Structure formats: C-alpha cells, structure tokens
Amino acid sequence: MSQPAITLWSDANFFSPYVMSVYIALAEKGLTFNLKTVDLDRGDHLKPQWQGYALTRRVPVLEIDGFELSESSAIDEYLEDRFAPPEWERIYPHDLQKRARARQIQAWLRSDLGPIREQRSTDVIFGGAKKPALNDAGAASASKLFETAAKLLEHGNPNLFGEWCIADADLALMLNRLVLNGDEVPQALADYASFQWQRASVQRFVALSAKRAG
C-alpha cells in the first residue's frame, strides 16, 4: 500500500503523552513517518523559524501532503479516516457507539484529572522520577480515575472494547502516572496498565525517551 510522506513533530525528550498517542496511532496503522523534534524547554517552538505548526505552537504536529494538524485526539481521528480500514489497521472500534465512547474517554483524559497531570508529570513514566504524596486534590482525582476506569473495565477483558484501540493506550498512560510512581492503585487497574504497556507500539515510544535520557 502506497502512502504519502508523513512527518510527526515531538518534544525533544519524548515525554509528551500526546505525542505518544499519535506515535502509537501511526505505528499501529503500519505507517512510515519521519520523526522530528523541537526543544520545548528552550522555547524553540515559539521561535518564528520553527518549521512546525504556526497556529498553536504545540506538539504533536502531523504533516501530510502540506496539511498540518495539531492536537493529538484530532490527529488520531484524522489518521483513522485518512488511512481507513480495511486497507489499514483500525485504531478505533468498528461499532459506532464504542467508537464514540473511545473518543469520549480520550477527551475526558485530556480535559479532566488535572491534579494528576500536575502532580504526576510524565517524567515519572519516561524519566523514572519519584514524586511526593498526592495532595487532597490529587487524591480526589485519583479516586475519580479509579472509579471510572473500573466501571469501563468491569467486563474483565484486557482491553476497553474487546479488541485494542487507541483509547487503551491513553488510559494506561494516565494510570501509569500513579503505578510507576509507586502510588496505591487497585490491582486490576495496575494489571490493565501493565498489559497495555507491553504492546509493541508503546514500547517503541518508551525506548525513544529511554534512549534520549541515556
């Protein structure tokens, strides 16, 4: 199957959970892509010479045939539509309602649970950092995460919707902010996150951050 030239822009450390989501989507679809980085810590994404997306100045940025798109969930959905099954691998459920639920989960993980993101930044996941105990707001967000995830996974399957989808990777990452810090996480949810983390596409991205750190 032929494909156009694709470029994905990432942060230089490969610590972005949103870059990770898009990277996994590209890898799962079997797409070949050029990976470029911009140093967010130095503010290179704010400089006029950055050859990335001028509108939002954020990563990830996807470039295909002169079309540029940012915001990870929008990119994931675009990739599913642009490189659609059955010619390409599926990253969202086939069932309409399940697909909508997967997108709901992605949007929720990006818009809620702010205290977890603040107190368990991804240097816990990709850099081995250890953070102090959650404050009250963080503990409340963790309880909400556990309750919601347990409800979504009450069927007992290792994936949200029977077969893997991109929302599994996003949910596992949020849980691993806590699991990999050594926080107390319900065993079933810790097992789910560990199972998702072993997926080849996830491990490919994790290896990028490990290589950069090394």
Side-chain angles (χ1 to χ4, degrees):
M1 293 178 286
S2 62
Q3 63 159 82
I6 301 173
T7 297
L8 172 63
W9 283 93
S10 170
D11 62 298
N13 294 325
F14 302 106
F15 276 17
S16 168
Y18 312 117
V19 170
M20 179 177 174
S21 184
V22 175
Y23 183 100
I24 290 170
L26 288 163
E28 290 288 341
K29 283 193 168 291
L31 294 165
T32 301
F33 57 97
N34 183 28
L35 187 61
K36 294 185 178 181
T37 62
V38 58
D39 195 326
L40 305 184
D41 293 337
R42 295 193 314 196
D44 288 352
H45 58 304
L46 302 176
K47 298 175 181 177
Q49 65 267 30
W50 179 44
Q51 298 298 304
Y53 194 43
L55 289 182
T56 59
R57 298 283 173 176
R58 284 151 58 105
V59 296
V61 174
L62 185 79
E63 299 177 30
I64 303 181
D65 286 345
F67 176 66
E68 297 176 328
L69 185 65
S70 67
E71 304 306 319
S72 59
S73 57
I75 296 172
D76 289 347
E77 293 181 29
Y78 174 70
L79 289 171
E80 183 77 327
D81 293 338
R82 175 71 183 267
F83 302 98
E87 291 80 9
W88 304 90
E89 293 297 322
R90 185 180 300 282
I91 61 171
Y92 284 97
H94 173 73
D95 177 81
L96 181 63
Q97 291 185 351
K98 291 179 179 178
R99 188 160 67 248
R101 185 72 70 207
R103 289 167 170 164
Q104 176 192 339
I105 292 167
Q106 286 189 291
W108 172 65
L109 291 168
R110 287 158 173 74
S111 62
D112 202 350
L113 309 174
I116 296 177
R117 290 195 301 274
E118 293 166 7
Q119 297 173 47
R120 296 291 181 268
S121 55
T122 53
D123 57 349
V124 168
I125 295 175
F126 303 120
K130 295 299 180 184
K131 306 292 184 178
L134 295 168
N135 63 19
D136 289 346
S141 282
S143 293
K144 184 176 184 180
L145 171 62
F146 298 156
E147 181 179 350
T148 302
K151 183 68 174 177
L152 291 167
L153 294 164
E154 64 182 357
H155 47 61
N157 295 324
N159 300 310
L160 284 165
F161 303 106
E163 295 185 3
W164 180 90
C165 76
I166 191 64
D168 282 301
D170 290 346
L171 178 57
L173 185 141
M174 183 61 78
L175 288 166
N176 270 336
R177 291 176 184 267
L178 300 162
V179 173
L180 297 179
N181 191 68
D183 296 300
E184 189 172 335
V185 176
Q187 190 60 51
L189 299 183
D191 290 345
Y192 163 81
S194 176
F195 176 79
Q196 297 298 329
W197 218 243
Q198 299 311 308
R199 197 168 181 89
S201 57
V202 175
Q203 285 299 303
R204 281 175 57 184
F205 185 84
V206 172
L208 290 174
S209 56
K211 182 178 179 181
R212 183 61 62 123

